[in-house]
Amino acid sequence: MKDMLDLKRSFHALRGMRGMSLVELMVAMTIGLLITAAIGYIYLGSRQTFRTVDDFSRIQENYRYALDQIGVDVRNAGFSGCVNVAINPSPGVPAGVLAPAAHVLRQSIQGYAGAAAWPGPAPAPANYVSNTEVLRIVASSGQGINVTAPMAGAAAAIAIADNPAGFAAGDALVISDCTHADVFNAGAVGGTTSVTPAATLQKPYSTGAEVYPLVDTVYFIGSNAAGNPSLYRRQNNNPVEELVENVENMVLRYGVDTTIPNDFAADNYQAVAGVADWLRVISTRVNLVFVSNNAVATGVQPCVVEGADCSQADGLLRQVATATYGLRNRLP
């Protein structure tokens, strides 16, 4: 009898330890797969959201920097010290005269429409992105170096207080007082005490005049080493430098003062082809088209720059950054 009771207890114990049935196992696996799929979906959605937000943040950070860099140069266009090369205050006083008269400092800003080949000033960069616009800005740079003694003649050496900019023979320089300005190449530089022009100036300058380096800056869109479009800058004959990556296009409009005589207000904004006289440009509107690093967009994202559609079905985010700058040295 005792053995029978022990056998029953063992049987009941074995029944309590039995495994899952096939149906129970399949139900459990299905629930596990659903939970795993839900977690995966949430993960992928979060990852996509993170990439989208990260790309937008990078675009915003980049366009602030790019517009700041361009804005400084546009506002400074035509700067030549005390004299304002854009105006003539009264008859008989040659303020605003610049020698040579055709030098680009008097023009100070010029745009070039996009073309298959490089449309801007030579030399042509090898990485130019076809059909994107080019902007050229010319201005004196930095703090002027004081002239410490009257020149002995219009082609004589110019005595200067110092040479912190490191003037060297062949450099393009500007000398100006409040009535005249001359652009010249340095023929010889006497250390930190003198610089001799390679050509005869309009007049011998005296104390009160200042000497500046002349900077010729060109902005354009080029391809970087990774094959991505970027905003580039070239100053004088220095190598090009990449400023901001993932700038697909630069579209420019120029505020033109068409009133005669000038009232120093932009009457309309023109593309390059509509500007008949670059001396009448008093402001510039800069549009930069930025693209994302990653293809995170669903469908075609809207993109409009100066009334033109710039959207593409490539999955990239696009954002147009716009700013308008006045040419301070074109104002009275």
Side-chain angles (χ1 to χ4, degrees):
M1 190 67 178
K2 182 180 177 181
D3 291 340
M4 290 294 292
L5 291 173
D6 290 340
L7 184 60
K8 285 183 178 181
R9 290 192 188 99
S10 299
F11 177 74
H12 287 300
L14 288 173
R15 288 188 63 186
M17 295 172 62
R18 67 188 177 89
M20 299 175 63
S21 69
L22 180 60
V23 173
E24 291 173 327
L25 181 61
M26 292 180 67
V27 170
M29 289 177 63
T30 302
I31 294 173
L33 288 172
L34 290 174
I35 293 174
T36 303
I39 293 173
Y41 179 79
I42 293 172
Y43 168 75
L44 291 175
S46 299
R47 185 170 181 268
Q48 184 78 347
T49 300
F50 172 79
R51 292 173 69 191
T52 302
V53 172
D54 184 60
D55 279 355
F56 263 127
S57 298
R58 288 177 181 274
I59 287 174
Q60 291 174 349
E61 179 182 348
N62 286 342
Y63 82 58
R64 289 190 184 98
Y65 174 75
L67 291 177
D68 282 347
Q69 292 295 306
I70 295 177
V72 168
D73 286 331
V74 171
R75 292 188 186 102
N76 195 49
F79 173 67
S80 54
C82 179
V83 66
N84 187 330
V85 299
I87 59 173
N88 291 302
S90 59
V93 180
V97 174
L98 191 72
H103 195 280
V104 288
L105 180 59
R106 182 168 173 82
Q107 188 159 300
S108 75
I109 193 166
Q110 184 171 356
Y112 302 84
W118 172 252
N127 63 336
Y128 168 67
V129 173
S130 299
N131 301 313
T132 56
E133 296 187 41
V134 176
L135 177 64
R136 183 186 194 185
I137 301 161
V138 182
S140 303
S141 174
Q143 186 173 355
I145 308 303
N146 291 330
V147 175
T148 57
M151 293 174 63
I158 303 167
I160 54 177
D162 199 358
N163 187 9
F167 298 154
D171 285 354
L173 305 175
V174 177
I175 184 170
S176 70
D177 54 21
C178 291
T179 62
H180 290 69
D182 273 279
V183 175
F184 65 94
N185 289 323
V189 176
T192 61
T193 60
S194 69
V195 57
T196 303
T200 302
L201 307 181
Q202 297 179 80
K203 68 173 187 177
Y205 288 83
S206 186
T207 55
E210 294 179 313
V211 180
Y212 301 83
L214 181 69
V215 179
D216 188 346
T217 304
V218 176
Y219 286 96
F220 68 96
I221 305 299
S223 294
N224 63 14
N228 297 323
S230 299
L231 177 66
Y232 278 82
R233 178 175 64 187
R234 183 184 68 207
Q235 292 186 316
N236 295 337
N237 294 320
N238 297 321
V240 299
E241 55 180 334
E242 182 181 7
L243 294 180
V244 176
E245 190 179 30
N246 293 327
V247 184
E248 185 176 67
N249 199 5
M250 177 169 61
V251 179
L252 304 164
R253 293 295 182 267
Y254 302 93
V256 182
D257 179 7
T258 60
T259 305
I260 300 176
N262 295 9
D263 62 0
F264 304 102
D267 296 297
N268 53 64
Y269 279 82
Q270 298 285 344
V272 170
V275 180
D277 183 358
W278 289 96
L279 293 176
R280 288 189 164 271
V281 172
I282 63 167
S283 61
T284 301
R285 187 164 67 226
V286 179
N287 301 276
L288 299 176
V289 182
F290 286 82
V291 294
S292 62
N293 279 317
N294 305 297
V296 293
T298 55
V300 178
Q301 299 296 305
C303 178
V304 178
V305 55
E306 293 295 344
D309 183 16
C310 55
S311 60
Q312 295 185 41
D314 55 7
L316 297 177
L317 297 171
R318 283 176 172 78
Q319 188 168 5
V320 180
T322 303
T324 302
Y325 308 103
L327 277 66
R328 293 174 176 171
N329 298 289
R330 295 265 171 104
L331 301 177

